[in-house]
Amino acid sequence: MHARVLRADLLLLLTAAIWGSGFVAQRLGMESIGPMLYSALRFALGGLVVLPLALRADPRPSARPLAPRAALGAALLAGLVLFGGVTLQQIGLQYTSIANAGFITGLYVVLVPLLGLLTGQRAPAVVWIGAGLAVIGLFLLSVRGDFTVAAGDWLQLAGALCWAVHVLLIDALAPRTHALRLACRQFFACAAASLIAALLFEPIEWAGIVAAAPAIAWGGLLSVGTGYTLQVIAQQDAPAAHAALLMSLEAVFAALAGWWWLGEGLDARALAGCTLMLAGMLLAQGLAGGRPAGG
């Protein structure tokens, strides 16, 4: 396998691991502050972490770079789509179970290649098979008892659509603009939108922010500053559908983090789901190859 593709796969796996562990911080942080304020603070912190590197970065990333104004506009659009995914997921959680939310959000692993067809991106058959295995594994890992459709499930599905669109946006933008600048700009755009939502809909108290500071630091430094930045860097060399499959392993790492830090159960059904998701990833990684030349 080409060295750049292998590097991209490893970075996406690391991204999934960081995001999965971030669920612990997210749960702990929202015990003290609202979800929109938590998102605003962690994305602002992530943007500040990446900003010095983005300012020093070489602004010529490829042979077909976007014009500066177009690159800025595209990054702001990516940040707003990111805000949409975060917001819909958080609001939907108030009206559905965590199991339903986790499963439906993970459906972006199928939505990415489906939406890719609209833009002329055809994923190899093995990626579709891997995505199917990942969905089955995600169901076993996330869903317990009867799966009933709740009002919040439609919001989760809209959120999954946002995540899919975001992956495709990064797929289109990453090869044509500098990764660090793209990441930094989208973080600040998401933070600004989240702060406006928090000011409108949530109580803001300094004591709550102080209590949530460790979780904000974890989410800002790792989930945002490191995880989302690695996603942008990796998608310079990984096709969107392939990247979505690898990043869907976030659910596996979240289950492992919950078991390790919070003492949540990890039974045979959950382990079977993890195994299927890993099988789907390994199948696609081994047979699908990397980004087509010029893709």
Side-chain angles (χ1 to χ4, degrees), residues 17-166:
I18 291 171
W19 286 349
S21 66
F23 275 107
V24 176
Q26 188 172 357
R27 177 176 297 182
L28 296 176
M30 288 190 296
E31 291 177 355
S32 304
I33 59 176
M36 292 301 96
L37 181 58
Y38 178 72
S39 292
L41 294 174
R42 69 178 176 130
F43 275 97
L45 178 58
L48 290 173
V49 169
V50 178
L51 181 59
L53 299 175
L55 292 175
R56 296 176 56 189
D58 183 353
R60 295 168 295 177
S62 71
R64 299 183 300 116
L66 291 173
R69 183 173 296 181
L72 176 60
L76 295 179
L77 176 61
L80 292 177
V81 173
L82 187 59
F83 164 74
V86 170
T87 302
L88 289 167
Q89 183 183 63
Q90 295 296 343
I91 296 175
L93 275 171
Q94 300 177 47
Y95 305 104
T96 189
S97 67
I98 293 177
N100 282 26
F103 174 67
I104 295 172
T105 298
L107 291 179
Y108 79 89
V109 71
V110 175
L111 291 174
V112 167
L114 281 175
L115 293 176
L117 292 175
L118 300 178
T119 60
Q121 298 183 23
R122 296 184 178 273
V126 68
V127 171
W128 287 99
I129 296 172
L133 289 175
V135 169
I136 296 171
L138 190 61
F139 182 84
L140 294 175
L141 178 61
S142 302
V143 178
R144 295 289 190 273
D146 295 331
F147 183 80
T148 57
V149 178
D153 291 338
W154 297 107
L155 295 175
Q156 296 296 336
L157 186 59
L161 183 61
C162 286
W163 297 123
V165 171
H166 184 259

Side-chain angles (χ1 to χ4, degrees), residues 163-276:
W163 297 123
V165 171
H166 184 259
V167 171
L168 289 168
L169 270 175
I170 299 302
D171 179 72
L173 298 175
R176 301 192 61 191
T177 186
H178 198 283
L180 294 176
R181 294 189 179 182
L182 172 59
C184 186
R185 288 165 172 171
Q186 72 164 349
F187 296 162
F188 283 129
C190 183
S194 298
L195 180 59
I196 292 172
L199 291 171
L200 291 173
F201 302 111
E202 294 177 357
I204 299 178
E205 297 178 355
W206 179 249
I209 295 174
V210 172
I216 294 168
W218 189 352
L221 297 174
L222 292 178
S223 295
V224 177
T226 303
Y228 280 103
T229 302
L230 291 179
Q231 176 203 358
V232 175
I233 293 172
Q235 281 199 247
Q236 292 177 316
D237 300 301
H242 192 69
L245 183 56
L246 287 164
M247 289 187 294
S248 72
L249 293 177
E250 170 189 1
V252 174
F253 290 110
L256 292 174
W259 168 73
W260 182 262
W261 279 303
L262 301 178
E264 296 180 349
L266 197 62
D267 57 16
R269 177 189 171 103
L271 290 173
C274 293
T275 301
L276 279 175

